[in-house]
mmCIF file of all heavy atoms in Angstrom:
data_model
loop_
_atom_site.group_PDB
_atom_site.id
_atom_site.type_symbol
_atom_site.label_atom_id
_atom_site.label_comp_id
_atom_site.label_asym_id
_atom_site.label_seq_id
_atom_site.Cartn_x
_atom_site.Cartn_y
_atom_site.Cartn_z
ATOM 1 N N TYR A 132 -76.312 -103.468 40.869
ATOM 2 C CA TYR A 132 -75.151 -103.929 40.153
ATOM 3 C C TYR A 132 -73.850 -103.476 40.782
ATOM 4 O O TYR A 132 -73.803 -102.532 41.484
ATOM 5 C CB TYR A 132 -75.170 -103.428 38.645
ATOM 6 C CG TYR A 132 -74.973 -101.982 38.456
ATOM 7 C CD1 TYR A 132 -73.799 -101.386 38.237
ATOM 8 C CD2 TYR A 132 -76.081 -101.154 38.495
ATOM 9 C CE1 TYR A 132 -73.684 -100.038 38.107
ATOM 10 C CE2 TYR A 132 -76.050 -99.801 38.327
ATOM 11 C CZ TYR A 132 -74.727 -99.211 38.126
ATOM 12 O OH TYR A 132 -74.641 -97.866 37.960
ATOM 13 N N GLY A 133 -72.784 -104.222 40.561
ATOM 14 C CA GLY A 133 -71.456 -103.966 41.100
ATOM 15 C C GLY A 133 -70.650 -103.090 40.151
ATOM 16 O O GLY A 133 -69.944 -102.226 40.594
ATOM 17 N N ARG A 134 -70.628 -103.422 38.839
ATOM 18 C CA ARG A 134 -69.802 -102.735 37.910
ATOM 19 C C ARG A 134 -70.616 -102.221 36.697
ATOM 20 O O ARG A 134 -71.412 -102.962 36.178
ATOM 21 C CB ARG A 134 -68.706 -103.663 37.376
ATOM 22 C CG ARG A 134 -67.699 -104.000 38.340
ATOM 23 C CD ARG A 134 -66.550 -104.850 37.683
ATOM 24 N NE ARG A 134 -66.200 -105.848 38.640
ATOM 25 C CZ ARG A 134 -65.881 -107.120 38.325
ATOM 26 N NH1 ARG A 134 -65.867 -107.483 37.091
ATOM 27 N NH2 ARG A 134 -65.554 -107.950 39.282
ATOM 28 N N PRO A 135 -70.364 -100.970 36.358
ATOM 29 C CA PRO A 135 -71.073 -100.470 35.104
ATOM 30 C C PRO A 135 -70.585 -101.154 33.798
ATOM 31 O O PRO A 135 -69.338 -101.457 33.733
ATOM 32 C CB PRO A 135 -70.767 -98.983 35.090
ATOM 33 C CG PRO A 135 -69.610 -98.773 36.024
ATOM 34 C CD PRO A 135 -69.479 -99.951 36.898
ATOM 35 N N TYR A 136 -71.457 -101.404 32.917
ATOM 36 C CA TYR A 136 -71.137 -102.035 31.623
ATOM 37 C C TYR A 136 -72.115 -101.437 30.538
ATOM 38 O O TYR A 136 -73.270 -101.607 30.663
ATOM 39 C CB TYR A 136 -71.327 -103.582 31.756
ATOM 40 C CG TYR A 136 -71.136 -104.281 30.430
ATOM 41 C CD1 TYR A 136 -69.894 -104.467 29.900
ATOM 42 C CD2 TYR A 136 -72.263 -104.805 29.761
ATOM 43 C CE1 TYR A 136 -69.788 -105.150 28.693
ATOM 44 C CE2 TYR A 136 -72.126 -105.416 28.547
ATOM 45 C CZ TYR A 136 -70.879 -105.607 28.004
ATOM 46 O OH TYR A 136 -70.723 -106.328 26.776
ATOM 47 N N LYS A 137 -71.493 -100.715 29.682
ATOM 48 C CA LYS A 137 -72.257 -100.128 28.583
ATOM 49 C C LYS A 137 -73.571 -99.415 29.033
ATOM 50 O O LYS A 137 -74.675 -99.607 28.454
ATOM 51 C CB LYS A 137 -72.650 -101.211 27.515
ATOM 52 C CG LYS A 137 -71.426 -101.849 26.874
ATOM 53 C CD LYS A 137 -71.777 -102.798 25.803
ATOM 54 C CE LYS A 137 -70.553 -103.408 25.172
ATOM 55 N NZ LYS A 137 -70.896 -104.310 24.078
ATOM 56 N N LEU A 138 -73.423 -98.554 30.032
ATOM 57 C CA LEU A 138 -74.567 -97.874 30.533
ATOM 58 C C LEU A 138 -75.240 -96.940 29.567
ATOM 59 O O LEU A 138 -76.433 -96.785 29.590
ATOM 60 C CB LEU A 138 -74.128 -97.017 31.813
ATOM 61 C CG LEU A 138 -74.053 -97.741 33.178
ATOM 62 C CD1 LEU A 138 -73.524 -96.821 34.224
ATOM 63 C CD2 LEU A 138 -75.413 -98.267 33.554
ATOM 64 N N ALA A 139 -74.447 -96.346 28.635
ATOM 65 C CA ALA A 139 -75.026 -95.498 27.669
ATOM 66 C C ALA A 139 -76.058 -96.206 26.752
ATOM 67 O O ALA A 139 -76.967 -95.573 26.271
ATOM 68 C CB ALA A 139 -73.953 -94.882 26.759
ATOM 69 N N THR A 140 -75.877 -97.492 26.563
ATOM 70 C CA THR A 140 -76.780 -98.245 25.596
ATOM 71 C C THR A 140 -78.088 -98.526 26.277
ATOM 72 O O THR A 140 -79.038 -98.760 25.541
ATOM 73 C CB THR A 140 -76.101 -99.542 25.149
ATOM 74 O OG1 THR A 140 -75.936 -100.413 26.294
ATOM 75 C CG2 THR A 140 -74.796 -99.296 24.454
ATOM 76 N N VAL A 141 -78.230 -98.446 27.540
ATOM 77 C CA VAL A 141 -79.522 -98.780 28.228
ATOM 78 C C VAL A 141 -80.270 -97.515 28.708
ATOM 79 O O VAL A 141 -81.427 -97.614 29.138
ATOM 80 C CB VAL A 141 -79.322 -99.775 29.378
ATOM 81 C CG1 VAL A 141 -78.699 -101.108 28.864
ATOM 82 C CG2 VAL A 141 -78.447 -99.185 30.493
ATOM 83 N N GLY A 142 -79.719 -96.384 28.648
ATOM 84 C CA GLY A 142 -80.288 -95.180 29.160
ATOM 85 C C GLY A 142 -81.632 -94.863 28.535
ATOM 86 O O GLY A 142 -82.528 -94.426 29.294
ATOM 87 N N GLU A 143 -81.799 -95.003 27.275
ATOM 88 C CA GLU A 143 -83.078 -94.671 26.634
ATOM 89 C C GLU A 143 -84.210 -95.541 27.133
ATOM 90 O O GLU A 143 -85.277 -95.091 27.370
ATOM 91 C CB GLU A 143 -82.917 -94.847 25.119
ATOM 92 C CG GLU A 143 -84.110 -94.448 24.292
ATOM 93 C CD GLU A 143 -84.297 -92.886 24.265
ATOM 94 O OE1 GLU A 143 -83.457 -92.085 24.714
ATOM 95 O OE2 GLU A 143 -85.445 -92.523 23.921
ATOM 96 N N LEU A 144 -83.926 -96.844 27.253
ATOM 97 C CA LEU A 144 -84.920 -97.789 27.774
ATOM 98 C C LEU A 144 -85.266 -97.463 29.268
ATOM 99 O O LEU A 144 -86.477 -97.513 29.588
ATOM 100 C CB LEU A 144 -84.473 -99.244 27.737
ATOM 101 C CG LEU A 144 -84.508 -99.857 26.342
ATOM 102 C CD1 LEU A 144 -83.998 -101.330 26.434
ATOM 103 C CD2 LEU A 144 -85.831 -99.814 25.690
ATOM 104 N N LEU A 145 -84.319 -97.173 30.057
ATOM 105 C CA LEU A 145 -84.540 -96.840 31.457
ATOM 106 C C LEU A 145 -85.433 -95.587 31.641
ATOM 107 O O LEU A 145 -86.215 -95.564 32.513
ATOM 108 C CB LEU A 145 -83.235 -96.636 32.204
ATOM 109 C CG LEU A 145 -82.349 -97.890 32.485
ATOM 110 C CD1 LEU A 145 -81.020 -97.554 33.009
ATOM 111 C CD2 LEU A 145 -83.136 -98.885 33.405
ATOM 112 N N LYS A 146 -85.225 -94.670 30.717
ATOM 113 C CA LYS A 146 -86.001 -93.455 30.840
ATOM 114 C C LYS A 146 -87.488 -93.645 30.719
ATOM 115 O O LYS A 146 -88.311 -92.981 31.331
ATOM 116 C CB LYS A 146 -85.532 -92.546 29.628
ATOM 117 C CG LYS A 146 -86.074 -91.170 29.692
ATOM 118 C CD LYS A 146 -85.386 -90.137 28.768
ATOM 119 C CE LYS A 146 -85.189 -90.688 27.363
ATOM 120 N NZ LYS A 146 -84.683 -89.712 26.429
ATOM 121 N N TYR A 147 -87.964 -94.735 29.996
ATOM 122 C CA TYR A 147 -89.365 -95.023 29.826
ATOM 123 C C TYR A 147 -89.854 -96.135 30.605
ATOM 124 O O TYR A 147 -91.063 -96.456 30.517
ATOM 125 C CB TYR A 147 -89.586 -95.269 28.303
ATOM 126 C CG TYR A 147 -89.318 -94.112 27.440
ATOM 127 C CD1 TYR A 147 -88.172 -94.101 26.716
ATOM 128 C CD2 TYR A 147 -90.202 -92.909 27.421
ATOM 129 C CE1 TYR A 147 -87.903 -92.915 25.912
ATOM 130 C CE2 TYR A 147 -89.884 -91.839 26.714
ATOM 131 C CZ TYR A 147 -88.742 -91.816 25.914
ATOM 132 O OH TYR A 147 -88.447 -90.719 25.145
ATOM 133 N N SER A 148 -89.064 -96.811 31.385
ATOM 134 C CA SER A 148 -89.538 -97.953 32.235
ATOM 135 C C SER A 148 -89.627 -97.581 33.666
ATOM 136 O O SER A 148 -89.140 -96.512 34.126
ATOM 137 C CB SER A 148 -88.559 -99.148 32.085
ATOM 138 O OG SER A 148 -87.415 -98.880 32.796
ATOM 139 N N ARG A 149 -90.265 -98.471 34.487
ATOM 140 C CA ARG A 149 -90.422 -98.188 35.902
ATOM 141 C C ARG A 149 -89.234 -98.796 36.627
ATOM 142 O O ARG A 149 -89.186 -98.674 37.874
ATOM 143 C CB ARG A 149 -91.739 -98.676 36.412
ATOM 144 C CG ARG A 149 -91.918 -100.174 36.438
ATOM 145 C CD ARG A 149 -93.212 -100.578 37.116
ATOM 146 N NE ARG A 149 -93.239 -102.025 37.337
ATOM 147 C CZ ARG A 149 -92.807 -102.598 38.461
ATOM 148 N NH1 ARG A 149 -92.302 -101.880 39.481
ATOM 149 N NH2 ARG A 149 -92.863 -103.888 38.605
ATOM 150 N N ILE A 150 -88.393 -99.609 35.955
ATOM 151 C CA ILE A 150 -87.276 -100.288 36.612
ATOM 152 C C ILE A 150 -86.195 -99.287 36.994
ATOM 153 O O ILE A 150 -86.008 -98.285 36.355
ATOM 154 C CB ILE A 150 -86.710 -101.339 35.736
ATOM 155 C CG1 ILE A 150 -86.104 -102.509 36.474
ATOM 156 C CG2 ILE A 150 -85.817 -100.767 34.678
ATOM 157 C CD1 ILE A 150 -85.878 -103.717 35.581
ATOM 158 N N ARG A 151 -85.608 -99.542 38.198
ATOM 159 C CA ARG A 151 -84.474 -98.653 38.720
ATOM 160 C C ARG A 151 -83.205 -99.373 38.598
ATOM 161 O O ARG A 151 -83.194 -100.649 38.814
ATOM 162 C CB ARG A 151 -84.758 -98.261 40.130
ATOM 163 C CG ARG A 151 -85.886 -97.392 40.358
ATOM 164 C CD ARG A 151 -86.000 -96.932 41.869
ATOM 165 N NE ARG A 151 -85.610 -97.963 42.810
ATOM 166 C CZ ARG A 151 -84.702 -97.829 43.780
ATOM 167 N NH1 ARG A 151 -84.054 -96.758 43.933
ATOM 168 N NH2 ARG A 151 -84.455 -98.829 44.609
ATOM 169 N N MET A 152 -82.095 -98.757 38.402
ATOM 170 C CA MET A 152 -80.744 -99.316 38.431
ATOM 171 C C MET A 152 -79.972 -98.642 39.489
ATOM 172 O O MET A 152 -79.984 -97.371 39.507
ATOM 173 C CB MET A 152 -80.037 -99.291 37.096
ATOM 174 C CG MET A 152 -80.430 -100.388 36.162
ATOM 175 S SD MET A 152 -79.271 -100.954 34.895
ATOM 176 C CE MET A 152 -78.359 -99.484 34.462
ATOM 177 N N VAL A 153 -79.388 -99.416 40.363
ATOM 178 C CA VAL A 153 -78.615 -98.878 41.511
ATOM 179 C C VAL A 153 -77.251 -99.511 41.603
ATOM 180 O O VAL A 153 -77.194 -100.731 41.670
ATOM 181 C CB VAL A 153 -79.431 -99.122 42.816
ATOM 182 C CG1 VAL A 153 -78.635 -98.615 44.027
ATOM 183 C CG2 VAL A 153 -80.839 -98.545 42.793
#
Side-chain angles (χ1 to χ4, degrees):
Y132 66 93
R134 289 186 220 142
Y136 172 76
K137 297 185 181 181
L138 278 174
T140 62
V141 298
E143 186 70 13
L144 285 180
L145 286 172
K146 190 166 46 172
Y147 296 104
S148 75
R149 69 173 191 91
I150 206 164
R151 294 183 323 124
M152 278 206 327
V153 177

